[in-house]
């Protein structure tokens, strides 16, 4: 499981022009990809890492501050570009495997008390963010 995680001052995701998820104020925008070999064992580890990631102001985390997270599924994080010019998506989990794992990460974050907004799995989404810093890290489990 892989997450490109950005510290933001605000972020939103739209589907068909309608806002389906947003955070307003300091928080994290999480673009979450699932590898074809990922299992449910990765879920609590990813949720803990995201919630406790100390990249907010003052080296604090969402767990410390109560800051929100906007989680957007993104299979393209496992695009492979080693050959040619067209990415291969063979490392990404198929939707029927990825969706429950993405939903489980969101549920695990909420169980930890984190305020979480989301995109819509599999939808064509427009994601906007105001990156703070910018400060972006790759989180892998």
């Amino acid at each position: 499981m892989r997450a490109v995680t950005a510290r933001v001052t605000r972020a939103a995701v739209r589907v068909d022009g309608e806002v389906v998820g947003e955070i307003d104020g300091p928080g994290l925008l999480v673009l979450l990809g699932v590898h074809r070999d990922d299992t449910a064992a990765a879920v609590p580890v990813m949720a803990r890492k995201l919630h406790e990631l100390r990249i907010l102001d003052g080296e604090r985390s969402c767990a410390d501050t109560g800051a929100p997270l906007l989680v957007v599924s993104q299979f393209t994080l496992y695009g492979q570009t080693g050959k040619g010019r067209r990415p291969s998506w063979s490392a990404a989990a198929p939707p029927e495997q990825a969706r429950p794992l993405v939903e489980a990460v969101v549920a695990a974050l909420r169980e930890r008390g984190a305020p979480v907004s989301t995109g819509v799995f599999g939808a064509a989404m427009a994601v906007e963010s105001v990156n703070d810093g910018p400060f972006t890290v790759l989180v892998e489990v």
Side-chain angles (χ1 to χ4, degrees), residues 88-100:
S88 166
W89 311 116
S90 62
E96 59 275 5
Q97 175 189 357
R99 179 190 302 255

Side-chain angles (χ1 to χ4, degrees), residues 6-7 14 31-32 35-36 49 57 65 70 76 78-79 93 97-98 111 115 117 132 140:
R7 183 175 72 189
R14 289 179 170 75
L31 305 176
L32 182 62
H35 189 274
R36 67 175 177 241
K49 282 188 171 202
D57 193 43
T65 65
L70 174 58
T76 62
Y78 280 104
Q97 175 189 357
E111 286 172 12
S117 294
D132 182 15
E140 293 187 280

Side-chain angles (χ1 to χ4, degrees), residues 48-125:
R48 180 186 55 78
K49 282 188 171 202
L50 293 172
H51 196 221
E52 297 178 6
L53 188 63
R54 294 173 49 181
I55 64 171
L56 296 177
D57 193 43
E59 292 188 9
R60 298 187 317 162
S61 68
C62 291
D64 297 330
T65 65
L69 300 94
L70 174 58
V71 178
V72 179
S73 63
Q74 189 168 347
F75 79 93
T76 62
L77 293 181
Y78 280 104
Q80 297 172 327
T81 59
K83 293 182 180 179
R85 297 171 298 181
R86 182 176 297 151
S88 166
W89 311 116
S90 62
E96 59 275 5
Q97 175 189 357
R99 179 190 302 255
L101 293 176
V102 169
E103 291 172 353
V105 169
V106 169
L109 284 164
R110 289 178 175 150
E111 286 172 12
R112 295 176 63 86
V116 182
S117 294
T118 65
V120 176
F121 187 93
M125 294 178 274

